Amino acid sequence: MSLPLAGLCAIVTGAGRGLGRAEALELARLGAAVVVNDHGRPGRDGSGAASAEPAEQVAEEIRAAGGTAVPHSGDVADFRQAGELVRLAVEEFGKLDILVNNAGILRDRMVFSMTEDEWDAVIRVHLKGHFNTTRFAAAHWRERSKAAGAAVYGRIVNTSSEAFVAGSAGQPNYAAAKGGIVGLTTSTALALAKYGVTANAICPRARTRMTEDVFAGLRKPEEGLDPLAPEHVAPLVGYLASPAAAGVNGQLLVVHGGMVAVLERPCVRAKFDSKQEAFTYDELDALLTPHYAGRPAGETFAAAEVLGLKRG
């Protein structure tokens, strides 16, 4: 079997269950030594006591299959603990090569009912958690590149969502965090390219603990692989983490059920120029009101229309 990640070290956050677990197993199958991170709180809203058990179980699963793995149960949304996670990878395996940011929680509520804590908690785990690990991994790669006087090997795979692309009425915190992750990804891709590091983001659609209510109406098939199984997502993460993806940087990809779609960045749909020194209200009314007449009030990016994307 081909082992494109042999000799490389990967961190996967939120890897004790669901997508993160599938991604950690796939990276290990492709030859990487994996640091399995999971804070271990049982509630999908981030509630419950933290536990080392989920991370330890997946690390043991990897070792039982002949791979190499160590667990880490720290909270990646905590700046210090995220730094300790990266240091653990370097201490155990000599370097870090791959960072997969997956950890997240949900606290769904309509925007007019959402509490400050519900907003802050989701932004903290998703967006700040992605930043924290990225910051320490980026510093590691920059230092290595400067010491070597050459580019190094580095891959970042971040987890966004179709909730950002197409909108999600009951998830303003989650959609905002996932949009922020795309911005973080493209900024990081530009900043680290000269060091040999790529950064990309995926929008996965999968049946996990976090999405059980979203896909409640879609039954698992009695035979064969569930089209919404996390195992459909993991191979793309393995590819983006591999040497073969050296030319893929700053990209956003939707993935589910045997389908991968590469999304374009937002483009200009229409352009209007004032015939005066500056626009007036009346001129804008005459130009923009007819343009939007008849369009759905909640219309979003064209990509969402083409793909028929739904909340996920």
Side-chain angles (χ1 to χ4, degrees):
M1 185 183 78
S2 174
L3 296 174
L5 305 185
L8 302 179
C9 167
I11 288 173
V12 183
T13 72
R17 306 175 179 92
L19 273 174
R21 172 184 170 274
E23 292 163 352
L25 294 175
E26 177 70 2
L27 295 183
R29 188 186 71 82
L30 295 176
V34 182
V35 180
V36 179
N37 164 266
D38 200 289
H39 199 33
R41 293 188 183 276
R44 68 174 187 165
D45 62 351
S47 63
S51 170
E53 187 175 353
E56 291 173 349
Q57 287 179 340
V58 175
E60 177 55 34
E61 191 174 356
I62 290 171
R63 291 192 293 264
T68 302
V70 295
H72 180 270
S73 58
D75 178 7
V76 293
D78 180 280
F79 192 72
R80 179 185 59 80
Q81 294 182 56
E84 291 174 353
L85 171 60
V86 172
R87 282 192 292 275
L88 173 64
V90 175
E91 290 170 1
E92 286 285 332
F93 304 110
K95 59 185 174 67
L96 172 65
D97 304 290
I98 301 160
L99 171 62
V100 179
N101 285 309
N102 172 76
I105 64 171
L106 289 178
R107 293 196 181 179
D108 294 354
R109 191 88 62 188
M110 297 299 287
V111 69
F112 43 75
S113 303
M114 181 162 288
T115 67
E116 181 180 15
D117 179 66
E118 288 166 341
W119 173 271
D120 288 347
V122 170
I123 298 296
R124 176 183 180 273
V125 176
H126 286 275
L127 186 52
K128 187 182 178 185
H130 272 61
F131 160 73
N132 286 346
T133 54
T134 296
R135 187 270 180 210
F136 288 104
H140 168 70
W141 288 320
R142 181 172 178 266
E143 291 168 7
R144 281 177 50 200
S145 178
K146 286 193 168 187
V152 297
Y153 189 99
R155 300 284 187 270
I156 299 173
V157 183
N158 289 332
T159 306
S160 183
S161 171
E162 294 169 290
F164 152 68
V165 178
S168 184
Q171 298 181 303
N173 47 4
Y174 181 74
K178 292 307 189 181
I181 286 168
V182 174
L184 172 64
T185 302
T186 54
S187 175
T188 302
L190 290 173
L192 300 187
K194 64 181 179 180
Y195 302 116
V197 179
T198 67
N200 296 285
I202 63 171
C203 294
R205 190 187 301 180
R207 195 191 307 272
T208 68
R209 182 179 55 141
M210 285 182 60
T211 61
E212 57 188 5
D213 61 332
V214 177
F215 301 122
L218 299 174
R219 290 186 177 182
K220 295 181 182 180
E222 295 183 3
E223 297 181 1
L225 185 63
D226 181 358
L228 292 171
E231 287 75 16
H232 286 295
V233 175
L236 176 61
V237 173
Y239 167 75
L240 292 173
S242 76
V248 184
N249 196 26
Q251 300 298 300
L252 177 62
L253 303 97
V254 174
V255 54
H256 61 85
M259 186 281 291
V260 172
V262 180
L263 300 192
E264 292 184 348
R265 297 189 182 189
C267 59
V268 176
R269 171 181 284 182
K271 180 175 177 290
F272 304 94
D273 296 309
S274 176
K275 295 180 180 180
Q276 309 168 85
E277 185 177 4
F279 275 114
T280 64
Y281 168 87
D282 289 337
E283 188 179 17
L284 289 170
D285 180 27
L287 292 170
L288 296 180
T289 301
H291 176 73
Y292 284 103
R295 294 181 183 272
E299 186 180 49
T300 57
F301 298 130
E305 300 164 16
V306 172
L307 292 171
L309 303 182
K310 297 181 179 179
R311 169 182 157 185

